C-alpha cells in the first residue's frame, strides 16, 4: 500500500527451474499482485520463463513457491 501511494507497482514473482531454467529462459514464475500490474509485467516474464501464473494478490506468489518447496521436500523424504 505504501508503494502504491507513491505510484510504485509491486509484484512478488519467485521462480522455479534453477540455473538451467534461467539460462534456457524456461523458468516457472509464480506471481502475486494485481492483475493490472501482472499484465504490464508479462512481457518481462515471458522473456524469462514459459510457465507464468498469477496466483492471486500480493504475497500469493511467495505462498505458492513455499508450498512447491514443501511438496518437493516431502517427495525427497518419501523416496
Amino acid at each position: 500500500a505504501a508503494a502504491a501511494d507513491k505510484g510504485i507497482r509491486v509484484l512478488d514473482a519467485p521462480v522455479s527451474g534453477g540455473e538451467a531454467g534461467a539460462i534456457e529462459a524456461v523458468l516457472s514464475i509464480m506471481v502475486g499482485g494485481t492483475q493490472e500490474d501482472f499484465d504490464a509485467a508479462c512481457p518481462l516474464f515471458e522473456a524469462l520463463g514459459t510457465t507464468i501464473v498469477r496466483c492471486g494478490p500480493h504475497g500469493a506468489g511467495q505462498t505458492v513457491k513455499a508450498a512447491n518447496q514443501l511438496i518437493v521436500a516431502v517427495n525427497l523424504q518419501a523416496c
Side-chain angles (χ1 to χ4, degrees):
D5 290 344
K6 295 179 175 149
I8 300 169
R9 299 165 90 171
V10 178
L11 296 167
D12 64 284
V15 301
S16 183
E19 182 180 358
I23 291 168
E24 298 296 322
V26 294
L27 294 169
S28 294
I29 307 171
M30 299 143 274
V31 185
T34 67
Q35 184 69 52
E36 179 183 17
D37 292 343
F38 173 77
D39 292 342
C42 261
L44 173 63
F45 295 143
E46 290 168 350
L48 301 171
T50 53
T51 303
I52 304 151
V53 179
R54 179 179 171 263
C55 302
H58 293 108
Q62 295 291 340
T63 301
V64 170
K65 172 69 175 183
N68 182 61
Q69 292 300 98
L70 287 170
I71 291 166
V72 168
V74 167
N75 283 331
L76 287 172
Q77 290 301 314
C79 288

